[in-house]
Amino acid sequence: MDNLDNPYTPNAGASPEVLIGRDDQTESFEVLLRRLQRGRSEQSMIITGLRGVGKTVLLNQFEQIARSAGWEVVEFEASKHDDSRFRQTIFSQLKAALLRLSPRARWSTRGRRAAEVLSAFAVSVDQQGTWSMSWDIPPAEGGGDHGDLGMDLTDVFVAIGEAAAEEHKGVVILIDEVQFLAKTQLEALIQAIHKTVQRKLPVTFVGAGLPQIAELAGDAKSYAERLFKFPKIDSLLDPDAREALTAPAAAEGAIFDEQAVDLAMEITRGYPYFIQELGYQVWTVARDGRITREDVELAREAYEAKLDSSFFRVRLDRATPLQTAYMRAMAQLGPEPQKASDVARLLGRDSTQLGPTRAELIEMGLLYTPEHGYAAFTVPDFDKFMLRAVPKLEPPAVQRRRRRTD
């Protein structure tokens, strides 16, 4: 069939033609906004899940919902930056939000106060000791200038919230890849949102990240479990997964045979990204408006090759030989979460020796810890890929030699 009409979108964060199976999360977000608009408190959200389950897509949906409701949206993807860079990112986003809430010429006392607190928050000192500001608003005194990220961000959120409330609007902060925030940054966000809840201000934070986020948030602030909901999203339930595959095709006048859908569900196991990738590849091999089981079989090889070369490979390429060996040993033990001592035994080492390697893989976002002493892959079916990509469990020294000769 004509690829110009291909309705599937296997790209990172790309919204599918039809968003299916996430009604609970979107409804919770809509309730969150409506309650804050009424001056009532409601728990913010941090969405957790493996790679490819649609966390970023859901955040994009939340952005549309918020903008349609008249809220200002601050959004960015977290990365491993120091607190100074984090301040600049927050500042630039909130500065734009404040100017959208009200043009500078129409600022009230609260609007100007918010701008001054933002200036104090963003004031920095370069290596020569020179003070600099990111815009021409003089910094506030006693607000956003404590030198403590948590206290300063709290002042900023409160000031922005008061300015937004005066305009009968709100501000929602959407942050993807929350697990890459430094502990001080996550602590500061939680502390700042906690204060806006206490003040009943229309400011909220919704994050998305890997499964370890709930634990990280709890470690950052003990009250995080009361401040946030932690909805976990996973593979789609079977009826939703089938609809996610068939509905885009039907919109283009193509129909899946029931046996074709059965095989597709067996291959993708309901993971949204896998459904989009398989659907895309099936569309390229199907010859008419009826998609058969044979079409899915024909597309399967290209589907696996595409995942191996992109979705999976980019993660393995970041790993050192020892990290690769650790993941290969986990894969050999099976798809379930694996005990650190079992992985170490397979590698002929003590688990304490491999503790730093395991910690590095968690920090890289390749593993997470579903329970104490165990680790699991953050990417669905990564164990199968590791067995294909590294057919034998090789010592790191052998891997290094092989890489040099490749």
Side-chain angles (χ1 to χ4, degrees):
M1 291 185 284
D2 190 344
N3 211 34
L4 289 175
D5 299 325
N6 196 324
Y8 298 97
T9 55
N11 295 301
S15 296
E17 294 287 321
V18 184
L19 183 61
I20 293 168
R22 305 304 184 209
D23 293 344
D24 288 348
Q25 291 78 30
T26 54
E27 183 178 345
S28 291
F29 182 70
E30 289 168 348
V31 169
L32 168 63
L33 297 189
R34 289 200 299 266
R35 285 185 61 84
L36 290 181
Q37 284 173 327
R38 289 187 174 191
R40 294 176 176 171
S41 65
E42 180 68 13
Q43 288 173 304
S44 296
M45 299 166 61
I46 299 181
I47 303 159
T48 70
L50 302 180
R51 298 289 185 193
V53 296
K55 300 184 299 296
T56 302
V57 168
L58 201 49
L59 283 188
N60 292 339
Q61 181 74 5
F62 289 174
E63 178 202 2
Q64 295 176 25
I65 292 170
R67 293 194 189 281
S68 296
W71 284 61
E72 295 301 333
V73 177
V74 168
E75 57 174 342
F76 61 93
E77 181 179 307
S79 53
K80 296 176 183 178
H81 290 312
D82 60 22
D83 289 353
S84 176
R85 180 71 177 273
F86 177 75
R87 282 178 180 262
Q88 287 300 317
T89 300
I90 291 283
F91 165 78
S92 63
Q93 292 277 351
L94 286 176
K95 170 187 170 184
L98 179 61
L99 291 170
R100 291 193 299 267
L101 283 169
S102 177
R104 186 189 298 207
R106 298 180 186 172
W107 277 344
S108 64
T109 300
R110 286 183 175 177
R112 177 158 289 278
R113 171 65 179 173
E116 291 171 352
V117 173
L118 266 175
S119 282
F121 180 76
V123 166
S124 61
V125 184
D126 63 21
Q127 293 181 345
Q128 285 72 44
T130 302
W131 288 86
S132 63
M133 290 190 298
S134 298
W135 63 342
D136 59 353
I137 303 296
E141 293 184 4
D145 60 352
H146 308 286
D148 176 271
L149 182 60
M151 295 175 66
D152 291 346
L153 192 61
T154 298
D155 288 345
V156 168
F157 278 18
V158 168
I160 289 288
E162 290 174 344
E166 189 174 49
E167 297 293 331
H168 305 289
K169 295 182 179 180
V171 177
V172 59
I173 298 150
L174 304 176
I175 304 180
D176 203 359
E177 303 287 3
V178 174
Q179 73 276 354
F180 290 133
L181 291 172
K183 184 179 180 181
T184 54
Q185 296 159 9
L186 183 57
E187 281 180 345
L189 279 165
I190 295 171
Q191 180 179 333
I193 288 297
H194 190 213
K195 183 58 69 175
T196 65
V197 169
Q198 293 173 335
R199 299 282 183 88
K200 296 184 178 180
L201 294 172
V203 177
T204 191
F205 158 53
V206 177
L210 295 175
Q212 64 262 40
I213 287 303
E215 181 181 356
L216 293 175
D219 290 344
K221 291 291 182 183
S222 60
Y223 53 76
E225 63 184 22
R226 287 167 284 145
L227 189 63
F228 293 98
K229 295 177 182 176
F230 293 93
K232 178 183 177 181
I233 62 174
D234 205 334
S235 57
L236 296 171
L237 298 175
D238 187 69
D240 291 333
R242 289 171 181 271
E243 186 179 356
L245 177 69
T246 59
E252 294 293 334
I255 303 296
F256 274 84
D257 286 348
E258 191 65 26
Q259 289 185 334
V261 179
D262 290 342
L263 179 58
M265 295 301 99
E266 180 185 324
I267 293 170
T268 64
R269 298 192 296 124
Y271 282 102
Y273 184 82
F274 293 173
I275 289 171
Q276 294 298 312
E277 186 64 72
L278 182 60
Y280 187 92
Q281 299 300 336
V282 167
W283 191 271
T284 63
V285 302
R287 294 185 176 179
D288 54 42
R290 187 154 209 92
I291 300 170
T292 67
R293 183 183 178 92
E294 182 183 12
D295 293 327
V296 177
E297 288 281 15
L298 286 171
R300 187 171 188 166
E301 185 175 359
Y303 158 80
E304 291 182 348
K306 178 68 183 302
L307 289 178
D308 283 2
S309 64
S310 56
F311 186 69
F312 293 133
R313 174 58 65 178
V314 294
R315 291 168 171 83
L316 178 58
D317 285 348
R318 295 160 47 205
T320 65
L322 183 54
Q323 290 166 352
T324 299
Y326 194 97
M327 292 190 291
R328 177 57 175 76
M330 281 185 60
Q332 186 163 318
L333 290 168
E336 304 84 8
Q338 299 301 331
K339 200 171 183 179
S341 58
D342 292 340
V343 178
R345 190 178 304 111
L346 196 58
L347 291 170
R349 299 197 183 191
D350 187 85
S351 59
T352 56
Q353 293 177 298
L354 292 172
T357 301
R358 181 172 177 268
E360 290 161 2
L361 289 167
I362 292 170
E363 185 178 356
M364 292 165 67
L366 294 172
L367 301 181
Y368 74 101
T369 52
E371 57 182 300
H372 181 70
Y374 287 79
F377 292 115
T378 60
V379 181
D381 289 349
F382 199 73
D383 58 301
K384 297 176 184 175
F385 165 71
M386 287 301 303
L387 296 176
R388 292 194 298 268
V390 186
K392 292 194 302 181
L393 182 57
E394 298 176 328
V398 174
Q399 286 186 51
R400 284 192 290 268
R401 287 197 296 271
R402 182 166 51 79
R403 285 183 178 184
R404 285 196 295 267
T405 58
D406 284 348

